[in-house]
Amino acid sequence: MMFNTVAGSPEDRQSMYSQSPNSVYRTGDKTSPISVILVSSGSRGNKLLFRYPFQRAAECPSSLAAKQRSPYALLTTGDVVEDLDGDSRFSDIILATILATKSEMCGKKFELKIDNVRFVGHPTLLQHPSIVQVSKTDPSPKREMPTMILFSVVFALRANADPSVISCMHNLSRRIAIALQHEERRCQYLTREAKLMLAVQDEITTMTESEIHQGLIVFVLFFSPIEADGSPRSPFRQILPKCKLARDLKEAYDSLCTTGVVRLHINNWLEVSFCLPHKIHRIGGAYIPPEALERSLKAIRPYHALLLLESEKALLGQLPLDCSPAMVRLIKTCSAVKNLQQLAQDADLALLQIFQIAAHLVYWGKAIIIYPLCENNVYMLSPHANICLYSSLAEQFAQQFAGHDLPSMLAKFSLPVSLAEFRNPLEAPAQEAQLIQMVVWMLQRRLLIQLHTYVCLLVAPSEDEPRLRDEDPLPAARVGGRSLSTPSALSFGSPTSSDDMTLTSPSMDNSSAELLPGGDSPLNKRMTETLLASLSEHERQVILNIPAAQNPEDLRMFARLLHYFRGHHHLEEIMYNENMRRSQLKTLFDKFRSVLVVTNHEDPIISIFQSPME
């Protein structure tokens, strides 16, 4: 996002470069940085070029009355706010000394913890282009121009910040450093900006009290080193309107404290984009840990779908001019009723590329992963949904869907209900399309959760078999069954939709029992016995005594799907992996219902996008 210049009165311009309300310390927020600091080391020594916020809470008039406390006094709740924001205790000279590292540490992660403050940065070594040699008697200013050896953009965090936040802040520091290093080599941009910063600091430092009392009214109003309350004015306030780099650092800090999305244009040329997932992925006041988000993205399968959280027009307007054409094509083709495999076919893109773009959109908070909408999907009201009658969501819903109100619509999902129950053959197709739009709208706002069907094998123990205690491990035969190998991300097929969704997937190790036609052939019998070998003798006898087991076809299908009956694979996943119809599976579950327990709950892969983690 380009920096927009503000035209107006001097008061407007002054407020533009003033400290924003976001810099005020907020207790309990461990994802926001305390400050951002730019330091350098060169021929003039270690210098703190800029820091923001430049006026800490300790400098405010309300905190000037802070009194000395005994080191043995107990901390109260009111005292914690004063002590947590600890970087205000360090002067500029001290920060420049401890943050300007040696050349040997450049190009590596820098992390330093002092009391309750943790400094994170990425020191970068500057390699200036060779300067034309001049004579010693040549009074050219190039020879006397101070050179910068290294610099570092450092973020001050709270000492108890999450390690994932520390890693993200280091990543942002590294990206800004790479852009600054490039511009320094191209046009010495960092040297020019540092020269401006140091000039303002020297100007403010050399001001004396005698100059202020000589009637220089205009000078005092704009450049006085004394604030209205008598405290020293920070030189960094004067740097902001003069230095583009300082404004970029301020914008980065403010974005990290609010939206978590940082878009900078260093020197109006290089774009630096970054997002803090802790700020973007929040549900019910809690953020989704990046580790859980990464695990979920790695578990995406071709039968999942991509749900955009913004309109197509709004999303395309946010893309940079040089974005990938494949992303534009995916956004224009994306639909909540298409799985990723269908999306790859319609967009004429490789499935692996669809996965990568989908993960990119999810990471930036522009989309979530769901299961494609069909009439058999079962939805339920989220326990964390905002069900207030006069909420802002209710107003938005009434404006977008005239004649419908959100509370009444949510009441229909108080209990688990499938979309097929809302179908009315007498209604016009437009009403069915509107129902899909309303469900999509509620899924985008995390008001609904989807329930999937899971199946567990549960055989009653025999009277002679000793009962297991809670602390006893399961028998090896039960644990050592066949493990499900996930389908390849590059599996293609001819997907359909609704009840008869039959998606083709490559042959898998545990579905290798492609039983041959021919009824009771010896080969089929041996395959069935092999698949049932992971069960105990009692379990095999109970299953074989079921009337449906007398049918060889049903028994072979049961044995083929046995490794799915552990409660870890929902019905739609089995349909995709085994290329089966929903009706076939439900019929099989009903025939072996004496040993199968059917449960309904969320899919752990996509549940992190619908409900806050416990």
Side-chain angles (χ1 to χ4, degrees):
M1 183 180 297
M2 297 294 293
F3 182 83
N4 296 322
T5 57
V6 179
S9 62
E11 291 79 5
D12 296 334
R13 290 192 294 268
Q14 187 175 2
S15 62
M16 170 185 171
Y17 303 120
S18 62
Q19 184 168 292
S20 64
N22 299 326
S23 61
V24 178
Y25 175 72
R26 293 172 294 180
T27 58
D29 188 3
K30 299 179 182 179
T31 60
S32 299
I34 298 175
S35 64
V36 58
I37 305 168
L38 176 63
V39 296
S40 68
S41 178
S43 61
R44 295 183 58 176
N46 300 329
K47 294 293 182 179
L48 190 145
L49 300 178
F50 183 74
R51 69 186 292 185
Y52 185 83
F54 41 76
Q55 182 180 356
R56 308 307 307 161
E59 300 172 4
C60 298
S62 59
S63 61
L64 293 178
K67 55 183 180 298
Q68 295 284 344
R69 297 184 307 164
S70 170
Y72 305 102
L74 295 176
L75 291 177
T76 61
T77 305
D79 297 328
V80 175
V81 178
E82 300 177 4
D83 293 339
L84 281 179
D85 202 3
D87 77 322
S88 61
R89 300 170 301 159
F90 303 107
S91 64
D92 297 348
I93 298 177
I94 294 178
L95 287 177
T97 303
I98 64 178
L99 298 182
T101 62
K102 296 181 179 180
S103 302
E104 293 78 7
M105 300 182 63
C106 291
K108 304 176 183 178
K109 180 181 180 181
F110 171 81
E111 184 174 345
L112 176 64
K113 177 179 175 296
I114 302 178
D115 294 337
N116 51 9
V117 182
R118 188 184 301 271
F119 299 96
V120 180
H122 190 83
T124 303
L125 189 65
L126 290 179
Q127 298 177 0
H128 290 278
S130 57
I131 302 177
V132 178
Q133 297 294 331
V134 295
S135 173
K136 294 183 179 180
T137 59
D138 185 6
S140 174
K142 293 182 179 179
R143 190 171 181 275
E144 298 179 358
M145 184 181 62
T147 59
M148 186 185 305
I149 300 176
L150 59 89
F151 73 96
S152 180
V153 177
V154 182
F155 290 96
L157 308 175
R158 287 153 189 86
N160 57 351
D162 190 85
S164 58
V165 176
I166 298 174
S167 177
C168 289
M169 292 300 176
H170 169 252
N171 186 18
L172 177 58
S173 176
R174 181 178 59 86
R175 293 189 182 191
I176 297 176
I178 293 175
L180 290 175
Q181 186 185 46
H182 178 274
E183 288 302 286
E184 175 65 18
R185 294 175 179 176
R186 187 177 70 91
C187 59
Q188 292 190 338
Y189 169 71
L190 183 58
T191 298
R192 295 199 312 267
E193 296 293 287
K195 188 176 180 179
L196 285 175
M197 296 178 182
L198 292 176
V200 175
Q201 293 184 30
D202 295 340
E203 185 179 10
I204 297 295
T205 304
T206 55
M207 289 181 182
T208 60
E209 293 291 334
S210 60
E211 293 176 329
I212 298 176
H213 295 290
Q214 288 177 357
L216 303 178
I217 301 177
V218 177
F219 181 81
V220 171
L221 286 177
F222 293 97
F223 297 100
S224 174
I226 305 298
E227 297 282 2
D229 58 353
S231 61
R233 169 169 287 188
S234 171
F236 307 121
R237 186 190 301 272
Q238 311 302 327
I239 291 177
L240 274 178
K242 297 182 178 181
C243 184
K244 172 68 167 60
L245 178 56
R247 295 195 295 270
D248 286 340
L249 295 178
K250 174 184 179 296
E251 181 183 351
Y253 173 86
D254 291 338
S255 300
L256 289 173
C257 292
T258 52
T259 61
V261 177
V262 178
R263 288 190 177 94
L264 304 177
H265 282 81
I266 303 297
N267 196 20
N268 293 328
W269 183 255
L270 289 182
E271 182 179 1
V272 176
S273 299
F274 172 83
C275 73
L276 186 63
H278 308 77
K279 294 284 186 179
I280 297 177
H281 302 281
R282 284 185 171 270
I283 301 179
Y287 69 86
I288 301 176
E291 299 82 6
L293 181 64
E294 183 179 358
R295 288 195 302 268
S296 179
L297 293 179
K298 289 182 178 180
I300 295 178
R301 293 294 175 260
Y303 54 79
H304 286 132
L306 188 68
L307 176 62
L308 301 180
L309 299 182
E310 301 180 18
S311 64
E312 176 185 326
K313 182 179 180 181
L315 198 55
L316 292 176
Q318 299 176 16
L319 297 177
L321 297 177
D322 59 344
C323 69
S324 171
M327 178 172 292
V328 177
R329 201 185 312 170
L330 182 143
I331 294 175
K332 291 182 177 180
T333 314
C334 186
S335 173
V337 299
K338 296 180 182 179
N339 58 45
L340 297 180
Q341 194 165 9
Q342 290 174 297
L343 192 59
Q345 296 175 351
D346 295 344
D348 194 19
L349 297 172
L351 186 56
L352 180 59
Q353 191 175 9
I354 292 289
F355 277 24
Q356 294 172 344
I357 299 177
H360 179 78
L361 292 174
V362 172
Y363 184 81
W364 279 82
K366 304 302 180 183
I368 59 175
I369 300 299
I370 62 170
Y371 186 78
L373 266 70
C374 66
E375 61 181 8
N376 294 284
N377 287 7
V378 177
Y379 295 101
M380 181 181 178
L381 179 65
S382 172
H384 308 280
N386 184 2
I387 57 176
C388 297
L389 295 177
Y390 305 103
S391 63
S392 58
L393 288 177
E395 297 178 1
Q396 297 174 15
F397 187 87
Q399 293 176 359
Q400 186 163 351
F401 305 102
H404 299 273
D405 61 288
L406 183 60
S408 300
M409 193 65 188
L410 292 178
K412 299 179 181 180
F413 294 92
S414 298
L415 296 176
V417 58
S418 65
L419 296 183
E421 300 183 26
F422 292 95
R423 295 188 60 180
N424 187 350
L426 302 180
E427 291 181 349
Q431 295 182 348
E432 182 177 349
Q434 188 182 42
L435 172 64
I436 295 178
Q437 295 176 0
M438 288 189 290
V439 173
V440 169
W441 190 92
M442 289 184 289
L443 288 174
Q444 290 174 333
R445 275 78 180 173
R446 274 83 163 183
L447 300 178
L448 299 179
I449 59 176
Q450 183 178 358
L451 303 182
H452 294 266
T453 300
Y454 293 81
V455 183
C456 299
L457 177 65
L458 185 61
V459 178
S462 62
E463 298 180 357
D464 300 334
E465 184 178 350
R467 297 183 178 273
L468 294 177
R469 296 176 298 178
D470 295 338
E471 60 273 12
D472 291 341
L474 291 176
R478 296 297 303 272
V479 182
R482 295 177 178 267
S483 60
L484 176 64
S485 60
T486 56
S488 172
L490 296 176
S491 56
F492 295 90
S494 301
T496 58
S497 59
S498 188
D499 181 76
D500 297 334
M501 183 188 66
T502 57
L503 303 180
T504 305
S505 64
S507 60
M508 298 158 45
D509 294 339
N510 38 27
S511 61
S512 58
E514 294 294 338
L515 305 179
L516 304 175
D520 300 332
S521 63
L523 179 59
N524 282 340
K525 288 184 178 181
R526 288 197 299 270
M527 284 185 173
T528 304
E529 295 175 357
T530 302
L531 292 173
L532 295 177
S534 61
L535 302 176
S536 64
E537 181 64 27
H538 170 69
E539 291 173 332
R540 285 197 297 269
Q541 290 299 326
V542 172
I543 294 174
L544 293 176
N545 290 334
I546 297 176
Q550 308 307 317
N551 186 344
E553 293 292 336
D554 292 339
L555 182 60
R556 284 195 295 270
M557 184 181 298
F558 180 88
R560 173 184 170 186
L561 303 178
L562 181 61
H563 55 274
Y564 293 107
F565 300 154
R566 304 297 183 188
H568 301 298
H569 311 283
H570 54 73
L571 186 63
E572 289 78 10
E573 182 179 358
I574 303 175
M575 292 166 54
Y576 176 85
N577 292 339
E578 298 298 332
N579 195 18
M580 298 180 64
R581 299 177 183 272
R582 185 185 301 268
S583 57
Q584 288 179 285
L585 290 177
K586 288 193 172 182
T587 301
L588 181 69
F589 297 162
D590 182 68
K591 290 181 178 180
F592 291 88
R593 61 182 179 273
S594 59
V595 293
L596 296 179
V597 176
V598 179
T599 60
N600 295 280
H601 58 81
E602 297 178 82
D603 183 0
I605 297 177
I606 63 177
S607 63
I608 66 169
F609 303 110
Q610 300 174 343
S611 304
M613 300 186 65
E614 299 295 337

